[in-house]
Amino acid sequence: MLCGTCVEPGRFELIERPLPVDLPEDWAFVDIAAVGICGTDYHIYAGKHPYLNYPRVIGHELSGRLVTPVGGIEAGTLVVINPYIACNKCRACLRGKPNCCSNIAVLGVHCDGGLCQRIAVPAGNLIAAEGLDEIQAAMVEFLAIGAHAVARSGLAAGDRVLVTGAGPIGIGTALFARLAGAEVHLLDLSSQRLALAREKFGFQNTHEDTSRVLEGDRADGFDTVFDATGAAVAIEAGFSLLAHGSSYVLVSVVKDHVRFDDAEFHKRETRIIGSRNAVQSDFETVMAVIREGKISTDALCSVILPLADLPQRLPELAQDRTGLIKAVVRL
């Protein structure tokens, strides 16, 4: 089988490997149907991901067909793969937080991912994708990131919310914040991204100039700010946009140190919340929302690519994602 592999930063190739044959107990083989390409993959290609060694088969936004029946799911069933493989033994796992397992192995990051024909995964990481098609199922994981961040935030209906960064994760976060009843604003330096947010998803409260976000009735700040920029300077700037008694949810991951004014932080009694990955209930929430038509996956999916095109297209997309929300590779 051909495996989409980042050999080193700036070098992506389709490398031939044998189909996997070893299957640990309570694991199953899945033939991959579709793979979403996300910011993590672009960061891996660019050499900017903090948790990765090369070479690495990428791909963690995965849908596929079950080869070996397991856990009550029949062979041939379309499944979503939860790519976060937890140890089930550490403190976090024992407290029901496998998404931040201290020994976590994320497919396509800590271990090889699913941009290939077949992969073996733990049975507990498979979710039957009833009512979804293969492309929709491949978009569940990235939407679960936003659903998890909103669940972590504790926001209430009517809260004023700002999402900084209108890329795929930011859009997903904004969609679930809106579903929770919040008044959602989006901030991004890209007018093209904000235009997409308005045209495809109906977000009218969009802002390109950080210095004008707190004008008018927004002068006292936002009840919750979600950062989805992946930039330390943007995270630092976000502290000044918080209202008193607010929460700051850091969805994106950066390598850098983040600094803030402690006096202002305490004056506002701000909560800083790290949001990492997602849990089973987030996946189920996303799938239910897609089935109910509350989120349009057609609006999210910008382009569907064959695997053979990816060595040429991945560098292009990593360089310029103007007008792109989600690229999906069909295997």
Side-chain angles (χ1 to χ4, degrees):
M1 64 179 181
L2 292 176
C3 300
T5 307
C6 277
V7 180
E8 60 187 18
R11 182 180 165 200
F12 176 84
E13 298 178 2
L14 298 181
I15 296 178
E16 192 171 270
R17 292 186 181 182
L19 282 169
V21 294
D22 295 327
L23 194 62
E25 185 178 358
D26 295 325
W27 285 47
F29 285 129
V30 178
D31 281 344
I32 299 300
V35 182
I37 304 298
C38 87
T40 295
D41 301 309
Y42 298 125
H43 289 158
I44 291 170
Y45 176 77
K48 296 180 179 179
H49 199 283
Y51 307 132
L52 185 122
N53 294 315
Y54 298 87
R56 178 65 68 229
V57 178
I58 62 172
H60 61 275
E61 299 179 3
L62 308 170
S63 72
R65 300 281 173 181
L66 192 61
V67 177
T68 46
V70 69
I73 307 177
E74 297 180 356
T77 300
L78 179 67
V79 294
V80 172
I81 298 175
N82 178 338
Y84 322 127
I85 301 176
C87 73
N88 299 316
K89 297 177 182 178
C90 73
R91 184 68 174 168
C93 286
L94 294 176
R95 296 179 64 227
K97 300 183 178 186
N99 59 301
C100 58
C101 165
S102 59
N103 303 301
I104 200 167
V106 180
L107 296 176
V109 180
H110 304 94
C111 57
D112 285 339
L115 196 57
C116 56
Q117 180 181 338
R118 180 172 293 179
I119 190 171
V121 294
N125 287 64
L126 301 176
I127 310 167
E130 182 181 356
L132 275 61
D133 63 34
E134 294 175 347
I135 301 300
Q136 289 175 321
M139 290 192 279
V140 169
E141 189 275 342
F142 97 85
L143 288 169
I145 300 293
H148 184 70
V150 171
R152 291 271 291 149
S153 74
L155 69 82
D159 282 359
R160 184 187 300 148
V161 166
L162 176 68
V163 179
T164 60
I169 298 298
I171 290 292
T173 302
L175 288 169
F176 281 96
R178 184 168 66 185
L179 286 171
E183 174 195 315
V184 179
H185 295 250
L186 281 164
L187 171 65
D188 199 290
L189 298 179
S190 168
S191 59
Q192 293 93 339
R193 281 185 172 182
L194 294 177
L196 282 174
R198 291 191 298 271
E199 294 163 10
K200 288 183 173 289
F201 307 104
F203 289 110
Q204 298 306 312
N205 299 317
T206 61
H207 311 276
E208 192 175 342
D209 186 347
T210 305
S211 66
R212 302 186 64 181
V213 175
L214 297 183
E215 290 184 346
D217 62 358
R218 303 183 301 276
D220 54 355
F222 293 86
D223 303 307
T224 305
V225 175
F226 295 90
D227 176 84
T229 65
V233 64
I235 294 174
E236 291 176 353
F239 281 93
S240 66
L241 305 177
L242 290 156
H244 285 239
S246 58
S247 299
Y248 198 5
V249 185
L250 304 184
V251 190
S252 62
V253 179
V254 297
K255 282 186 175 182
D256 306 295
H257 292 282
V258 174
R259 298 172 298 176
F260 58 89
D261 185 320
D262 182 65
E264 290 295 324
F265 168 77
H266 271 86
K267 185 169 71 175
R268 288 171 168 79
E269 199 181 45
T270 304
R271 291 194 308 160
I272 301 179
I273 302 170
S275 183
R276 188 181 185 195
N277 301 327
V279 295
Q280 176 99 1
S281 60
D282 301 313
F283 282 79
E284 292 169 351
T285 294
V286 170
M287 294 169 72
V289 164
I290 293 174
R291 281 194 293 264
E292 293 164 9
K294 294 179 179 178
I295 286 180
S296 170
T297 51
D298 288 340
L300 289 164
C301 184
S302 304
V303 61
I304 300 174
L305 304 168
L307 180 62
D309 287 1
L310 206 55
Q312 175 185 342
R313 293 300 307 277
L314 183 64
E316 295 173 355
L317 294 173
Q319 180 67 30
D320 182 11
R321 298 194 290 280
T322 302
L324 181 77
I325 299 176
K326 177 60 58 178
V328 179
V329 179
R330 190 189 291 278
L331 271 291

